[in-house]
Amino acid sequence: MPVSELDHRLVALRQQVREWAADLRPIALEIDRDPDAINDHLDLPAIRYLSTMVIPPEYGAPPMTVAGHRFYGMASLERAVVLEELACADAGTLLAAPGASMSGVLVDLLADEQQKEWFYGQLLERPQWTFFGLTEPNRGSDAGGLRTALSADGVLTGEKRYVGNATRASLGVVFARTRPGPLGIVATLVRTSAPGYTAVPIDTVGLRGARIGAITLDRVEIPPEHVLGSHLSAAQRGMWACVRTFNRLRPGVAAIALGIARAAYEYVLAERDRPGRDGRDRLDVLGRRIEATRRLIRSAAMSVDANGGHGHLASAAKARACRLAEDATLEACELLGPGARLEHPVLDKLTRDARGVEFMEGTENMQRLNVFHGYLAGAFGR
Ligand SMILES: Cc1cc2nc3c(=O)[nH]c(=O)nc-3n(C[C@H](O)[C@H](O)[C@H](O)COP(=O)(O)OP(=O)(O)OC[C@H]3O[C@@H](n4cnc5c(N)ncnc54)[C@H](O)[C@@H]3O)c2cc1C
């Protein structure tokens, strides 16, 4: 079986999620207008699944059982399969869902037993949003240059920008600096009810469901037991964990971009009765690019699942999938003719969302740098 083919477990999972995803498209424009409308849809099976996804079984997460197989969303390949299907229905609603999300992957990697019990325990009590506070004003791509400070007596001060779900989260993680240099970066658990935490929404054009926000941390007190990775060496606590977390997450973001591209492609197929020869050829090319990108994403996910340090393929997949999402949505607009974005609000939304996913977890330029570093290190075999 080629590496990019799914086994029967994942085929069954994809089928189940595809059925659940059908609930998301009808609410896509509602969530786009008002991201807080997600509160009216928390009982949808897809949203309930997302709210406990990425919680390991040993902490009591209820499994998603499909055809006798249990799924917890811990593997990158599994997440890529789920996220493509949900994003193809609506990426905005997917990103609006509560759950462990990015923070869950970091906590799995970095937290000690007590921290995991605390973090996952909170999320199992009731559906809650989490946030992942890394990006700072004017230092987005330069994550290593972050300035948010955690003092020796546990006081957190700084600013974060463009953080998903920052205004509706009840807990999350913040990357901060304890001293200059790459070894001075740590991640800490933060409750948003803590005095000094404030967040305001940032209005966006695309992926509005993600409800990104600006966070101010004004002398937030952090108990020592909330600093992640104190049981690990200094080299493993900060940027190392951040890089490995992104390695694990990027196939999923790539799958979201792929889902957006597929949605645009399928939208044209459903809307355009008789594509002329040129239209058919363009759709064929798009269809082949979608399939090729899916294979790359699956290979990247398997590579990361086998070794969390192998993120070069994940960066290649993320860059290629985001480029595809932009090309596919613009192509769909052209194929449906002048005024397509006015006449087809769903297509207009897909086109806006495609631009947004480019910025999630690093822009194309950053992915290209990762791929180049991988090439220099011999990761692709020369
Ligand atoms: C929907 C969405 C959700 C997000 N969620 C989160 C989240 O949950 N948590 C979080 O912390 N952040 C989040 N972000 C922020 C995201 O990680 C940043 O937008 C991203 O890292 C880019 O940072 P920036 O926007 O400051 O752009 P900049 O870093 O200012 O980049 C602007 C442009 O300059 C280019 N550029 C920058 N540096 C270089 C370089 N060295 N070489 C070549 N080109 C360069 C970039 O490629 C880009 O094209 C989210 C963003 C979006 C859109």
Side-chain angles (χ1 to χ4, degrees), residues 95 102 132-136 138-142 161-164 207 210 212 356 358-366 369:
L95 295 173
M102 300 169 77
F132 185 92
L134 174 67
T135 306
E136 298 192 353
N138 305 318
R139 281 178 293 280
S141 298
D142 180 20
R161 280 289 183 285
Y162 317 127
V163 176
L207 292 177
I212 63 175
E358 150 74 2
F359 283 85
M360 290 173 68
E361 290 165 38
T363 60
E364 181 175 338
N365 288 343
M366 296 300 112
L369 284 172

Side-chain angles (χ1 to χ4, degrees), residues 19-335:
E19 284 169 28
W20 287 349
D23 296 333
L24 304 193
R25 179 61 66 80
I27 60 172
L29 294 175
E30 180 192 358
I31 303 286
D32 191 51
R33 271 190 304 276
D34 174 16
D36 289 334
I38 188 67
N39 288 307
D40 300 332
H41 303 288
L42 296 180
D43 281 337
L44 293 177
I47 306 292
R48 275 196 277 126
Y49 171 58
L50 288 167
S51 72
T52 58
M53 192 174 155
V54 201
I55 300 182
E58 56 271 32
Y59 298 94
M64 195 237 271
T65 308
V66 181
H69 305 294
R70 294 167 164 225
F71 298 96
Y72 297 90
M74 300 308 296
S76 294
L77 181 59
E78 188 183 318
R79 286 196 297 275
V81 169
V82 169
L83 296 178
E84 179 193 333
E85 294 306 322
L86 296 180
C88 186
D90 183 40
T93 307
L94 157 64
L95 295 173
S101 191
M102 300 169 77
S103 301
V105 173
L106 181 77
V107 166
D108 179 45
L109 192 70
L110 201 52
D112 63 25
E113 281 308 306
Q114 281 82 19
Q115 291 167 336
K116 287 183 184 179
E117 273 169 25
W118 182 83
F119 181 83
Y120 297 130
Q122 306 273 319
L123 296 177
L124 289 171
E125 275 177 18
R126 62 184 165 84
Q128 293 179 60
W129 285 268
T130 57
F131 74 96
F132 185 92
L134 174 67
T135 306
E136 298 192 353
N138 305 318
R139 281 178 293 280
S141 298
D142 180 20
L146 64 85
R147 293 197 190 152
T148 293
L150 179 66
S151 67
D153 54 350
V155 175
L156 189 63
T157 306
E159 285 181 278
K160 298 289 176 183
R161 280 289 183 285
Y162 317 127
V163 176
N165 295 318
T167 54
R168 52 189 170 198
S170 45
L171 67 164
V173 292
V174 167
F175 283 84
R177 182 172 289 294
T178 54
R179 59 191 157 95
L183 296 184
I185 293 175
V186 294
T188 176
L189 295 166
V190 173
R191 289 209 68 108
T192 59
S193 57
Y197 178 102
T198 49
V200 292
I202 296 173
D203 206 13
T204 55
V205 172
L207 292 177
R208 290 170 47 76
R211 199 59 160 154
I212 63 175
I215 298 174
T216 304
L217 302 153
D218 181 11
R219 300 189 58 77
V220 177
E221 286 187 23
I222 303 294
E225 65 272 19
H226 279 188
V227 179
L228 294 169
S230 300
H231 60 301
L232 300 172
S233 73
Q236 291 177 309
R237 274 177 223 155
M239 285 318 286
W240 180 91
C242 185
V243 167
R244 292 209 163 211
T245 297
F246 280 142
N247 287 349
R248 290 183 185 195
L249 289 168
R250 276 185 185 131
V253 181
I256 293 175
L258 177 67
I260 294 171
R262 197 180 109 204
Y265 168 74
E266 291 177 356
Y267 192 88
V268 180
L269 285 182
E271 285 292 318
R272 217 178 121 130
D273 294 339
R274 286 183 299 280
R277 173 133 190 222
D278 174 52
R280 271 202 311 275
D281 288 350
R282 287 165 73 177
L283 283 169
D284 282 352
V285 170
L286 211 46
R288 283 199 293 276
R289 280 183 67 190
I290 288 171
E291 183 53 34
T293 303
R294 182 180 293 121
R295 286 172 187 272
L296 176 60
I297 293 171
R298 288 182 186 163
S299 298
M302 287 163 132
S303 171
V304 169
D305 285 337
N307 182 335
H310 287 177
H312 309 103
L313 217 45
S315 281
K318 203 267 173 181
R320 186 186 286 189
C322 289
R323 178 64 69 89
L324 174 64
E326 281 203 46
D327 289 352
T329 49
L330 294 175
E331 186 89 317
C333 292
E334 277 188 31
L335 287 167

